[in-house]
Amino acid sequence: MPAGLRLTQYARGGGCACKIPPGELEEAVAGLSGAAVPDALLMGAADGDDAAVLRIEGDRAVVSTADFFTPVVDDAYDWGRIAAANALSDVYAVGGEPIMAINLLGWPRDALPWAVAKEVLRGGRDVAALAGCPIAGGHSIDDPEPKYGLAVTGIADPGRLLRLDAGRPGTPLSLTKPLGIGVLNARHKATGEVFGQAVEVMTTLNAVAGRLALERGIRCATDVTGFGLLGHLYKLARASGVTAVVNAAAVPYLDGARDAVRDGFIPGGSRRNLAWVAPHTDFGRIAEAERLLLADAQTSGGLLVAGEIPGAPVVGELVGRGRHTLVVR
């Protein structure tokens, strides 16, 4: 990296916090899925599952997803690793196994050296290699803002998928990674402070969590990324026709997350997430800072699983549908 170069200063947003707000996105794509959806398409756009799944024959299905974003950290190699782990997570979140990926790269070639882009690609390659997923080329464009991610192909057993609409009352909710990534990344972008604990979480694959969920017969899960814990849980509860109850005191956070909120380092995406879920949520006496953390826009977050898996704290439960889709206690 050239001395003094800060990748996060080349983009307005960063990581999954730069996603289009969920409410606006749902309005934009409403009615576009069409009526002629083939029976072989087991998961698609209807509920906003993490990846598309198409049965190809018998007990085999192909999984397809794509994910890319602007720099979330200043270190090019780490950004590449984070973006790759985040894209691969969509395959794990539906119970699949990634088998191949291609790079998606937008690069301001007149503003940033190609040597920096090479470090980004090297980071993506190394994390994909840990997943046993070769990267076979890709596509690039000249772009005013740097962007990187992967389009990933995976395989899955169509009888053992993790779905948004499979949640049932009486099921505990487990979360496999702590929250707070969004606010720490916002502080990093503003100040240059480096938070190694956030980088470690973002570069950790969700492969083990996905495998453990399948081994325990779990059928409902999602990953927690740009729409925050509450946003992704709202989508899950809505699709399953249940109410999700969150025990705020049981939710784990990264060190420094609460300090970042106190000091005002809150991504715009987190505020938009909270505004989206608020009309559907009973917050009781939960303070505004806690609400923002629960809605914090995560990048390469953990899996939110309707069931219990080893090492993951239980943060709530699904109950019969009530007045609100979400309840936070």
Side-chain angles (χ1 to χ4, degrees):
M1 288 283 290
L5 189 150
R6 295 194 57 207
L7 278 175
T8 57
Q9 305 309 298
Y10 286 83
R12 291 172 298 166
C16 289
C18 66
K19 279 187 174 182
I20 293 173
E24 292 181 23
L25 182 61
E26 289 191 342
E27 181 179 351
V29 302
L32 293 180
S33 58
V37 177
D39 292 339
L41 185 62
L42 304 178
M43 297 170 68
D47 292 319
D49 279 290
D50 297 293
V53 180
L54 182 76
R55 186 194 299 271
I56 48 180
E57 64 174 333
D59 61 353
R60 293 195 300 167
V62 63
V63 181
S64 182
T65 187
D67 210 313
F68 61 94
F69 47 64
T70 52
V72 69
V73 293
D74 290 323
D75 186 276
Y77 180 72
D78 282 345
W79 175 35
R81 293 197 298 148
I82 292 164
N86 182 76
L88 291 162
S89 180
D90 285 340
V91 176
Y92 299 128
V94 300
E97 174 189 350
I99 58 171
M100 184 182 72
I102 57 175
N103 286 313
L104 302 173
L105 179 70
W107 201 253
R109 59 186 186 84
D110 293 331
L112 286 172
W114 282 114
V116 179
K118 187 173 183 178
E119 279 298 285
V120 177
L121 296 171
R122 187 171 71 89
R125 178 204 66 187
D126 287 356
V127 162
L130 288 176
C133 178
I135 295 180
H139 181 68
S140 62
I141 61 170
D142 189 351
D143 194 321
E145 290 187 328
K147 300 177 180 71
Y148 176 65
L150 299 176
V152 187
T153 300
I155 54 174
D157 180 342
R160 301 174 69 230
L161 296 174
L162 301 173
R163 308 177 59 98
L164 283 178
D165 62 3
R168 299 295 178 263
T171 308
L173 293 167
S174 302
L175 181 64
T176 67
K177 289 184 182 181
L179 303 183
I181 292 169
V183 295
L184 289 179
N185 286 341
R187 186 164 205 152
H188 170 69
K189 179 178 173 65
T191 69
E193 296 174 74
V194 176
F195 300 98
Q197 69 274 32
V199 173
E200 182 178 357
V201 167
M202 289 187 286
T203 55
T204 298
L205 293 170
N206 282 325
V208 173
R211 175 176 56 79
L212 289 174
L214 292 178
E215 288 177 355
R216 281 150 182 79
I218 292 169
R219 293 292 176 264
C220 179
T222 186
D223 66 346
V224 179
T225 54
F227 300 154
L229 173 65
L230 292 183
H232 289 284
L233 183 55
Y234 170 63
K235 290 176 63 179
L236 184 155
R238 183 179 61 180
S240 296
V242 299
T243 287
V245 180
V246 177
N247 178 5
V251 176
Y253 292 101
L254 286 165
D255 289 345
R258 293 187 183 279
D259 292 342
V261 172
R262 179 200 64 202
D263 295 340
F265 296 103
I266 302 167
S270 300
R271 294 190 185 278
R272 292 189 291 270
N273 291 340
L274 182 57
W276 183 52
V277 301
H280 314 285
T281 307
D282 175 4
F283 280 108
R285 297 183 178 181
I286 301 298
E288 180 75 4
E290 194 81 13
R291 298 182 188 192
L292 285 165
L293 280 169
L294 291 169
D296 188 37
Q298 305 300 281
T299 297
S300 192
L303 296 190
L304 178 64
V305 177
E308 294 188 57
I309 60 176
V314 172
V315 297
E317 64 176 332
L318 301 179
V319 299
R321 185 60 182 268
R323 178 181 175 187
H324 293 90
T325 308
L326 300 178
V327 175
V328 183
R329 296 173 174 164

